[in-house]
Amino acid sequence: MKTARLTCLRVLLATSPAKGKKSMSLDAALANYLPKLEESRDRALTQRLAYATLRWLGATEYFSGKLLKKPLKNKDRDIYLLIQLGLVQLWREEIPAHAAVHETAAVARGLGKPWAVSLINGVLRNFQRQREILEAGLAQSPARWSSPDWLIQRLQAAWPKHWQAILSANNQQAPMWLRVNLIKHSREDYLKQLQAEGIAATAGGWTKAAIRLEQACPVNRLPGFSEGAVSVQDSAAQLAAEILNPQAGDRVLDACAAPGSKTCHLLELEPKISEVTALDSSATRLERVSENLQRLNLDAKILTGDATKPADWWDGQTYDRILLDAPCSSLGVIRRHPDINWRRQPADIDTVQQIQFEILSSCWKLLKPGGKLLYVTCSVLPTENQAVIERWLATVDNARTLPLSTDWGLSAGTGRQIIPGEDEHGNDGDGFFYCLLEKNNQ
Ligand SMILES: C[S@@+](CC[C@H](N)C(=O)[O-])C[C@H]1O[C@@H](n2cnc3c(N)ncnc32)[C@H](O)[C@@H]1O
């Protein structure tokens, strides 16, 4: 029989396998394993426990390090993760302790490892007994951030005043934000529709279309969702289209477009854009762009292609506006994807900043004189943000950065940075970097 906890273990093994094995994203692992559970209640529990375990893995590893007499072998990674799953239920989830201990330990028997049942039971019972001492120890340890040491160090160096706020926001559940389709109705009208459905929500964020839900809810409960009334999009991500500010008649390139949230927002914001080209190197991810455009009744030219190789796909006509939402480490969206904390490695940052530089260099050549390019990442590391822009600016003589509103984010060299979590106005966005560039009229 497939139980929620066994399925959760499979998800954890896929996202956080033994050393040397390739990991899967949490989204992909959930998409793979959740359909194997018949009951929606089990699917919900599996998902909730997988998120919680990955979110708090650094802290529960601290506890298990104190409670296990000797480390488990690599081949017993399943048992190790079961212990983390048990600990997170006792420490963070409102699950009756008896069920948490008994049902988690029982999974080991189903795995053909009956010897581990008493081990898991023992570790979890000892956690209950020693909880206060263990928590006091955790409070003094860097493990309290539940983040890898290299990331803590990089954030400390980059954001001496804000690194603690970033790390603590990374472990909070992010709010669900909506972007009202202003072609169809005003934000106030849509708020009334939500209210009529009993969905508590408020206007907020930094853009005129943003609505924050008090509690996350499935999209099929949102009035008019399938007819394009509204989209799900983080409030900081909604700034992209407004900053780029496309005008009627513009030719726009969305150079890294999939799954298309920002492509659609550009079209909602200015329906008289002459043409939007939605480019992405992943044909599979572009299918999501088509779905989103169709649902919102919008139109764009979809192209599979590599932004660093325009010779393969470009029609030779320059663009008035380019959105470059670059591939990045995604370290600004850990609160939505806690697996990123553990799957990302320092070497990935070096690789990705080189790709970002190359995409920026190629796209710049496709921009009209007087045109604007918005460089965006969902990273909080300057290496992928202002450092890329500064390095690139030194290689061109026809670019200047434009000032951005100081109503949001922090000053970050050539651009502005939103750090994840709630700001002093109650806006609660993901970690995004924005830099707006203009090409000189020659
Ligand atoms: C941050 S995501 C874009 C998110 C999208 N703009 C949105 O708002 O829905 C980055 C995208 O860049 C794409 N990508 C990566 N390398 C690329 C390249 N060389 N050329 C074009 N697209 C690329 C990835 O497939 C991914 O879909």
Side-chain angles (χ1 to χ4, degrees), residues 254-262 280-282 285 305-308 325-327 359:
D254 187 352
C256 296
S261 322
K262 300 186 186 79
D280 203 279
S281 54
S282 163
R285 284 173 61 85
D306 184 337
T308 65
D325 189 8
I359 298 183

Side-chain angles (χ1 to χ4, degrees), residues 328-390:
C328 71
S329 64
S330 305
L331 289 169
V333 293
I334 288 176
R335 61 191 198 148
R336 294 191 193 277
H337 305 279
D339 52 316
I340 289 172
N341 232 341
W342 314 109
R343 298 176 63 235
R344 215 52 89 232
Q345 300 298 324
D348 299 339
I349 315 295
D350 298 332
T351 313
V352 87
Q353 61 160 329
Q354 195 46 38
I355 297 169
Q356 291 158 345
F357 183 93
E358 284 169 25
I359 298 183
L360 175 56
S361 303
S362 317
C363 285
W364 189 249
K365 296 179 188 128
L366 316 182
L367 189 65
K368 266 187 199 158
K372 289 179 186 160
L373 182 149
L374 181 65
Y375 179 87
V376 187
T377 74
C378 58
S379 173
V380 286
L381 291 186
T383 327
E384 300 176 70
N385 297 337
Q386 54 265 49
V388 170
I389 303 289
E390 280 159 19

